[in-house]
Amino acid sequence: MDSKECSSKLLPVNDALDVLSGKWKIPIIVALMHGNYRFKELHRMVGVSPKMLSKELKELEMHQLVKRTVYDTTPVTVEYELTQHAGSLRKVIEALGDWGSQHRKKVMAKK
Amino acid sequence: MDSKECSSKLLPVNDALDVLSGKWKIPIIVALMHGNYRFKELHRMVGVSPKMLSKELKELEMHQLVKRTVYDTTPVTVEYELTQHAGSLRKVIEALGDWGSQHRKKVMAKK
């Protein structure tokens, strides 16, 4: 594999890491894998501050992973759901989780 | 899934992200998937500064992903190779790469 071919393989791996990195993105995505929720519900479920949740949801919207729907009720209801594109993350999250468990056992065993 | 069960699933995912995050860890791992290399070779292949490479290799050693072997030659030769534990990362890197390509196409299509 030459270096150009190699970079073209690394680019999407880094893209994916960029989208998923940080403390809250994956917990928010995993919460929304269990259903659609309102802001306050997510805030309680994930245990993240409202300010951070708002920031993270905006970024996830930008990456087309979360859809925000405003319902014309009184008071207005805002609901968040995963897009189809986010559904394809399940495999990635599983692979990370599997390896992370293995890694945890390995590192613990040495201590 | 209750919140305790959920946290116990999230923990290893975050572990894995912690180990892999940053700009250089994955490029270094991918380079070493193609063979064992010396410090200077890695420096050239990955295009990372010696200072950063040294820091990253130490962290990878700590996580038991890279093994450093010193050969008693004149001058001394130091070679880096992946551990078996790092081999199990292939599936994770592939899953990240697959999703990253899909994401790139999706985001490009909207622009």
Side-chain angles (χ1 to χ4, degrees), chain A residues 59-66 83 85-86, chain B residues 106-107 110:
Chain A
E59 286 181 27
L60 289 169
E61 264 191 273
M62 206 182 69
H63 288 300
Q64 301 176 43
L65 294 173
V66 163
T83 61
H85 181 41
Chain B
K106 182 109 192 155
V107 172
K110 267 266 165 123

Side-chain angles (χ1 to χ4, degrees), chain A residues 1-13 15, chain B residues 97 101 104:
Chain A
M1 185 153 65
D2 63 23
S3 91
K4 207 178 153 189
E5 199 186 330
C6 188
S7 318
S8 75
K9 291 217 172 193
L10 283 176
L11 200 62
V13 177
D15 283 352
Chain B
S101 309
R104 187 162 273 262

Side-chain angles (χ1 to χ4, degrees), chain B residues 25 28 56-66:
Chain B
K25 297 261 180 5
I28 293 168
E56 297 289 64
L57 283 169
K58 266 181 205 147
E59 287 183 24
L60 289 169
E61 263 191 274
M62 205 183 68
H63 288 300
Q64 302 176 42
L65 295 171
V66 164

